[in-house]
């Protein structure tokens, strides 16, 4: 198996629909990292930023999405040449689990079971919600709120209700 592939591409933007900024991935390189439905990779951009992502299909082509915030942080403009290093992401969830969330799940077995029964995309979404917070106390509050929400709703995820649970947990002073 390939450890890492490095290639150059052009930072691009779709003119249509759902996705916007992206890095094209040549098909021969994409195929090295795709196994069935598994397309998760660790992508390093210009040796400056590493992120967990997926190689996505679009009308016979392949790409890696990048959001506007990261585009601005890396000072990328459409048409810029970029150096991309890809390696297979073999992490359990396709991104790192925040330590605070893992600790909370270790203390709440039923919440952990509900979390593990979610689709991989929903798991990553919840992990992202916790990991984007910098403050460890807020990470714990978000983790506890997520597990509470999953327990109350028997593993069903309703983002509108989850946001209300976040608000309640942020107001509580007795948590930490």
């Amino acid at each position: 198996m390939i450890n890492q592939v490095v290639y150059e591409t052009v930072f691009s933007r779709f003119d249509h629909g759902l996705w916007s900024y992206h890095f094209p991935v040549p098909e021969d390189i994409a195929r090295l990292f795709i196994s069935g439905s598994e397309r998760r990779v660790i992508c390093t951009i210009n040796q400056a930023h590493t992120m967990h992502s997926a190689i996505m299909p679009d009308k016979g082509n392949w790409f890696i999405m990048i959001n506007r915030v990261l585009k601005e942080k890396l000072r990328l403009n459409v048409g810029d040449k970029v150096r991309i290093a890809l390696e297979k992401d073999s992490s359990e969830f396709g991104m790192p689990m925040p330590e605070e969330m893992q600790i909370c799940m270790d203390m709440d077995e039923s919440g952990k079971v509900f979390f593990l029964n979610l689709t991989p995309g929903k798991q990553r979404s919840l992990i992202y919600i916790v990991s984007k917070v910098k403050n460890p106390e807020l990470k714990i509050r978000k983790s506890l709120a997520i597990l509470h929400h999953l327990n109350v709703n028997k593993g069903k995820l309703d983002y509108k209700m989850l946001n209300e649970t976040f608000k309640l947990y942020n107001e509580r002073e007795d948590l930490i």
Side-chain angles (χ1 to χ4, degrees):
M1 174 174 245
I2 296 262
N3 287 338
Q4 185 181 66
V5 172
V6 179
Y7 70 101
E8 287 192 1
T9 191
V10 175
F11 183 59
S12 303
R13 180 181 180 139
F14 287 118
D15 293 328
H16 61 81
L18 185 60
W19 304 295
S20 186
Y21 299 109
H22 66 281
F23 302 111
V25 179
E27 183 164 358
D28 59 329
I29 293 175
R31 295 284 174 208
L32 295 172
F33 296 98
I34 297 170
S35 173
S37 63
E38 230 357 87
R39 302 181 312 238
R40 302 294 302 174
V41 293
I42 299 172
C43 175
T44 303
I45 306 160
N46 288 337
Q47 299 176 322
H49 180 81
T50 300
M51 64 183 192
H52 292 255
S53 55
I55 297 175
M56 303 294 292
D58 179 58
K59 300 176 186 169
N61 298 309
W62 299 95
F63 67 95
I64 294 175
M65 290 189 296
I66 179 171
N67 63 30
R68 182 186 49 79
V69 173
L70 184 55
K71 170 202 172 299
E72 291 170 4
K73 177 183 172 186
L74 296 175
R75 297 186 175 130
L76 292 171
N77 294 305
V78 172
D80 287 353
K81 288 186 179 179
V82 291
R83 180 183 167 116
I84 302 293
L86 296 179
E87 59 187 275
K88 187 75 175 159
D89 185 345
S90 58
S91 63
E92 182 176 3
F93 299 106
M95 63 190 316
M97 171 67 76
E99 180 182 358
E100 296 85 353
M101 188 169 186
Q102 185 63 57
I103 290 169
C104 290
M105 287 198 327
D106 289 345
M107 295 176 8
D108 182 349
E109 190 60 36
S110 63
K112 180 178 184 176
V113 168
F114 286 132
F115 176 84
L116 293 175
N117 284 322
L118 293 172
T119 65
K122 288 180 180 177
Q123 291 172 345
R124 282 191 299 276
S125 178
L126 295 175
I127 291 169
Y128 176 76
I129 288 169
V130 174
S131 64
K132 73 179 183 178
V133 176
K134 299 297 180 213
N135 181 313
E137 180 182 324
L138 292 178
K139 284 184 180 188
I140 292 170
R141 287 179 183 273
K142 287 217 182 272
S143 299
L144 291 171
I146 288 168
L147 294 172
H148 175 88
H149 174 81
L150 290 173
N151 279 313
V152 166
N153 295 293
K154 304 288 187 233
K156 301 291 182 212
L157 191 54
D158 178 322
Y159 286 101
K160 186 174 180 179
M161 288 175 57
L162 179 58
N163 282 327
E164 293 302 315
T165 306
F166 287 148
K167 290 176 189 174
L168 292 173
Y169 270 71
N170 285 337
E171 294 170 1
R172 290 184 58 182
E173 294 180 15
D174 63 331
L175 287 175
I176 298 175

